[in-house]
Amino acid sequence: SLEDGYFKSDRIVIGKKCTVSVRGYVHYGTEMKDGSILDPDSFLMKGEVVEEQTIWQGNPAQVIS
């Protein structure tokens, strides 16, 4: 990502049996734990940690169940 004129990056951790749906975007510095789901057209912002077996939706993505 280009922020304030600098290139910034970090790891993305995606656990077992996770789903990143169509047009789901995952920013750097995030973690999706086992079995979590990012719904279609959702954007997971940097620094977010998606807990196991949860569903996230929206822009920015938030937990819905």
Side-chain angles (χ1 to χ4, degrees):
S1 177
L2 186 61
E3 297 176 24
D4 301 323
Y6 296 97
F7 178 75
K8 297 181 180 181
S9 65
D10 198 358
R11 294 176 184 228
I12 295 172
V13 178
I14 299 179
K16 297 176 185 175
K17 298 185 179 182
C18 290
T19 302
V20 178
S21 299
V22 175
R23 295 186 60 175
Y25 295 96
V26 180
H27 211 283
Y28 69 86
T30 58
E31 179 180 1
M32 292 181 70
K33 294 187 178 181
D34 295 347
S36 59
I37 298 171
L38 182 64
D39 272 355
D41 298 317
S42 297
F43 183 47
L44 191 60
M45 301 297 287
K46 65 182 173 185
E48 293 286 0
V49 176
V50 177
E51 294 300 326
E52 289 185 15
Q53 305 295 321
T54 57
I55 301 172
W56 285 54
Q57 181 181 64
N59 185 0
Q62 297 177 346
V63 66
I64 61 168
S65 76

